[in-house]
Amino acid sequence: MISKQEVYFNSEAAYLNNYRYKAIKLPLVIIMILLIITSGTDAFSEEQPEGQSADNNTQNELYSEQDDLYGDEYVKTAEQSVADPLYWFNYAMFSFNDKLYFWLLKPVAQGYKFITPAELRSGLKNFFHNALFPVRFVNTILQGKGERALAETESFIINTVGGGLGFATPAQYVFGIETYNEDLGQTLGRYSVKEGFYLVLPVMGSSTLRDSIGSVGDFFLSPTTYIESAELAAGVTALDRINSVSFRIGDYETLKSAALDPYVALRDAYIQMRRKQVNE
Amino acid sequence: MQRIFINNLFKTIFIISFFIISLSAPSMLMGADSEPERVLKSGVDDMTAVLNDPAFADEAQKKARKDILFNKADSIFDFSEFSKGALGKNWERFSESQRTEFTKAFSRLIANTYLAKIDDENFQDLKITYLKTEILAPTKSGIERADIASDVLHNKVVTPVYYRMMKKKGGSWKIYDVKIEGVSLVGNYREQYRTRFNDSPDKIIEEIKEKIK
């Protein structure tokens, strides 16, 4: 015999489920469409901007005569640069992010670093890393990396139980389990989805079409997405960002001061880093 | 009842994971270091010794320390190969004297930016773990090559650093590229110089000199 109240709850649950399903369906459709588009944008990645393609053959000849110290890398680097059709938009966003870093992010992170004990900062860093377990787990599975999925699970269980919700990392310093950053952008790369083109997002920074689509997917696996209060979610996200910047103050400055063209240096560093992550 | 079951489950997971981990842990048997690894280690140890030397702690000594570090770096890095790789095919357009001049300025630029960074940090807690050495096939002209992977722990952040080393005939092992988190330093400059085929070598040299002033 079902009481009236139960019926009420059941229908409410059904309503909520339905609501949530609808909320997720639209982004999923968008992702699918974008995926189909990117798989068709091979033309973009093979396009050599600024008339480089014509020089490819001569370049190979040059280096075959010369020492092949970098092995095939000279040949590879001839096509290494990513297509950048949105250069002016990207450059504007790069300048915006640059100002954002120097005027807001860096001073806030410095102040935060000054008043927050190092132990708490690294505890928080571990906590945020641990909380993103679903993203890494799903993506290792999607990439068929069974051993890593197991390692992630072990690490998550040990650190959540034994490390106080992941603030400490006994899985790493006692058991030596390695975890890797995996995300949907890398998974797509694994499935031979091309980068598409370089994209600089406001606040988020360097990305590519593929990686941006990936981060939309990862968004649904990220626990912060399911925090009900929007203010709290924003606060948690900001804390995560400020906390992680507090460990890397000075790195961006070094890259910038060593570079002849900071925009190109950053673009190339991002692309090189992502290609390495996809391959490992 | 359920509680006991959960307790047991955790225990089992714990024990099983412990065994899996201990089995997969890297073997403790370490062979003798290969030659490039030995050269790299002694070079890096040399530099960190200078960094941690209390004799250079006060401000007045910093300049002297920088010069010592630069000389040590110069003996372990092959800056001429760095420059050649950085300029990519632009290298062909440089005359012999322009190449020397570029190399001199470029090595200073690298040293200035990275040694300056080292200068304002405390390097007591720097820890380098050498992971593996891969001996590559020598090039056609007989240059021996090796890639050495390492993890650098500093400031509670682990950064994978990859050293690419080479040995010319009659020479010694030297670093010709460094990859930090998969980003090749030389490759990064090559990308920046890729579109500079219209600029004269003198202009390119002048630009670097301007930066190291």
Side-chain angles (χ1 to χ4, degrees), chain A residues 25-248:
Chain A
K25 207 169 93 175
L26 180 68
L28 276 182
V29 171
I30 296 174
I31 292 170
M32 293 304 285
I33 292 171
L34 283 173
L35 264 184
I36 293 163
I37 296 170
T38 20
S39 53
T41 46
D42 290 10
F44 271 125
S45 19
E46 269 149 41
E47 183 189 43
Q48 295 283 323
E50 291 127 37
Q52 282 298 290
S53 53
D55 301 316
N56 262 354
N57 287 333
T58 34
Q59 184 160 1
N60 290 353
E61 266 169 47
L62 268 181
Y63 286 105
S64 59
E65 281 168 29
Q66 219 184 304
D67 264 324
D68 48 350
L69 189 56
Y70 292 84
D72 299 333
E73 273 189 37
Y74 270 124
V75 186
K76 259 192 256 161
T77 47
E79 46 193 60
Q80 186 175 41
S81 68
V82 66
D84 195 358
L86 301 180
Y87 177 81
W88 294 110
F89 169 79
N90 286 344
Y91 197 88
M93 287 307 122
F94 163 77
S95 310
F96 171 78
N97 289 341
D98 185 79
K99 297 281 179 290
L100 185 76
Y101 176 76
F102 283 108
W103 293 353
L104 185 71
L105 220 46
K106 189 182 171 186
V108 171
Q110 273 172 330
Y112 168 82
K113 189 178 178 180
F114 185 71
I115 58 167
T116 316
E119 288 72 25
L120 181 59
R121 286 193 299 125
S122 65
L124 275 170
K125 186 176 153 216
N126 296 337
F127 169 77
F128 285 121
H129 181 83
N130 194 52
L132 284 177
F133 161 73
V135 175
R136 293 190 298 274
F137 180 73
V138 168
N139 283 298
T140 41
I141 293 285
L142 287 176
Q143 293 178 40
K145 294 172 177 167
E147 270 175 45
R148 284 197 187 175
L150 185 67
E152 285 297 342
T153 314
E154 285 169 350
S155 169
F156 177 70
I157 292 172
I158 296 171
N159 286 342
T160 306
V161 177
L165 295 178
F167 272 87
T169 54
Q172 277 67 46
Y173 67 78
V174 179
F175 298 101
I177 304 174
E178 274 187 70
T179 67
Y180 296 83
N181 281 327
E182 297 285 359
D183 53 59
L184 196 53
Q186 290 178 51
T187 304
L188 294 174
R190 203 78 183 168
Y191 285 103
S192 311
V193 175
K194 296 273 163 57
E195 284 148 345
F197 49 79
Y198 184 61
L199 195 58
V200 185
L201 303 171
V203 188
M204 312 277 284
S206 291
S207 189
T208 57
L209 181 60
R210 181 192 71 204
D211 294 343
S212 305
I213 293 165
S215 59
V216 174
D218 289 333
F219 175 76
F220 290 101
L221 292 169
S222 162
T224 44
T225 309
Y226 300 98
I227 298 176
E228 298 234 342
S229 138
E231 290 87 359
L232 185 63
V236 169
T237 312
L239 178 63
D240 184 9
R241 183 72 190 270
I242 299 289
N243 192 62
S244 63
V245 169
S246 76
F247 284 93
R248 298 210 169 261

Side-chain angles (χ1 to χ4, degrees), chain A residues 50 52 55 59 62-64 66-71 73-74 77 81 122 125 150 154 157 161 175 177 247-248 250-251 254 256-261 264-265 267-269 272-273 276, chain B residues 14 17-18 20-21 81 84-85 88-89 92 109 113-114 117 139-141 143 145 155-157 164 166 176 179 181-184 186-195 197 207 211:
Chain A
E50 291 127 37
Q52 282 298 290
D55 301 316
Q59 184 160 1
L62 268 181
Y63 286 105
S64 59
Q66 219 184 304
D67 264 324
D68 48 350
L69 189 56
Y70 292 84
E73 273 189 37
Y74 270 124
T77 47
S81 68
S122 65
K125 186 176 153 216
L150 185 67
E154 285 169 350
I157 292 172
V161 177
F175 298 101
I177 304 174
F247 284 93
R248 298 210 169 261
D251 286 5
T254 308
K256 218 183 141 184
S257 70
L260 302 151
D261 183 341
V264 175
R267 181 181 70 192
D268 176 66
Q272 280 200 52
M273 186 190 75
K276 182 206 169 212
Chain B
F14 191 75
S17 24
F18 183 77
I20 293 171
I21 296 151
E81 284 300 337
K84 192 168 152 190
K89 65 178 175 178
E92 297 301 309
L109 173 69
T113 36
Y114 291 95
K117 190 174 159 61
T139 63
K140 267 174 272 170
S141 56
I143 300 175
R145 295 183 303 159
N155 233 340
K156 305 199 173 194
V157 181
R164 310 203 73 192
M166 51 136 218
Y176 70 90
K179 282 187 178 180
E181 252 168 304
V183 181
S184 147
V186 170
N188 195 261
Y189 278 103
R190 188 161 49 235
E191 178 69 15
Q192 295 174 60
Y193 279 122
R194 195 174 54 84
T195 52
F197 43 81
E207 180 188 31
K211 267 190 95 75

Side-chain angles (χ1 to χ4, degrees), chain A residues 257-260, chain B residues 66 70 101-114 189 204-213:
Chain A
S257 70
L260 302 151
Chain B
K66 213 171 176 176
F70 182 74
E101 209 178 340
F102 179 86
T103 305
K104 222 173 105 191
F106 188 64
S107 60
R108 271 288 165 193
L109 173 69
I110 303 269
N112 277 5
T113 36
Y114 291 95
Y189 278 103
I204 290 174
I205 293 167
E206 205 43 54
E207 180 188 31
I208 292 208
K209 281 188 170 166
E210 203 53 48
K211 267 190 95 75
I212 57 173
K213 252 181 197 162

Side-chain angles (χ1 to χ4, degrees), chain B residues 4-212:
Chain B
I4 295 169
F5 172 72
I6 289 175
N7 268 343
N8 277 339
L9 184 71
F10 270 122
K11 230 182 249 169
T12 323
I13 291 175
F14 191 75
I15 292 167
I16 291 175
S17 24
F18 183 77
F19 273 107
I20 293 171
I21 296 151
S22 51
L23 284 177
S24 59
S27 144
M28 287 289 119
L29 293 167
M30 298 279 250
D33 291 351
S34 62
E35 205 197 328
E37 200 177 339
R38 230 177 40 236
V39 173
L40 177 69
K41 274 182 184 169
S42 76
V44 172
D45 287 350
D46 248 20
M47 291 184 74
T48 38
V50 175
L51 284 170
N52 290 330
D53 191 343
F56 296 108
D58 72 281
E59 283 304 312
Q61 297 292 314
K62 286 254 166 99
K63 171 92 183 59
R65 186 174 81 169
K66 213 171 176 176
D67 288 340
I68 294 173
L69 282 176
F70 182 74
N71 287 337
K72 288 212 185 293
D74 202 26
S75 69
I76 181 170
F77 288 90
D78 191 320
F79 282 124
S80 124
E81 284 300 337
F82 259 77
S83 309
K84 192 168 152 190
L87 281 176
K89 65 178 175 178
N90 287 304
W91 182 256
E92 297 301 309
R93 304 191 288 121
F94 280 54
S95 74
E96 208 51 59
S97 65
Q98 282 167 331
R99 285 176 183 178
T100 327
E101 209 178 340
F102 179 86
T103 305
K104 222 173 105 191
F106 188 64
S107 60
R108 271 288 165 193
L109 173 69
I110 303 269
N112 277 5
T113 36
Y114 291 95
L115 294 184
K117 190 174 159 61
I118 287 170
D119 240 8
D120 19 274
E121 298 201 36
N122 178 14
F123 266 71
Q124 298 292 345
D125 66 340
L126 182 81
K127 194 168 167 278
I128 303 171
T129 321
Y130 296 92
L131 302 173
K132 71 166 190 207
T133 304
E134 197 182 341
I135 306 286
L136 305 175
T139 63
K140 267 174 272 170
S141 56
I143 300 175
E144 294 175 69
R145 295 183 303 159
D147 285 352
I148 300 176
S150 74
D151 271 346
V152 177
L153 174 69
H154 176 241
N155 233 340
K156 305 199 173 194
V157 181
V158 180
T159 312
V161 178
Y162 209 84
Y163 299 92
R164 310 203 73 192
M165 300 189 72
M166 51 136 218
K167 186 189 176 188
K168 287 184 180 158
K169 267 181 194 143
S172 61
W173 283 97
K174 285 192 167 188
I175 303 166
Y176 70 90
D177 192 5
V178 181
K179 282 187 178 180
I180 302 165
E181 252 168 304
V183 181
S184 147
L185 185 71
V186 170
N188 195 261
Y189 278 103
R190 188 161 49 235
E191 178 69 15
Q192 295 174 60
Y193 279 122
R194 195 174 54 84
T195 52
R196 302 291 299 277
F197 43 81
N198 282 329
D199 292 340
S200 73
D202 285 328
K203 193 180 167 193
I204 290 174
I205 293 167
E206 205 43 54
E207 180 188 31
I208 292 208
K209 281 188 170 166
E210 203 53 48
K211 267 190 95 75
I212 57 173

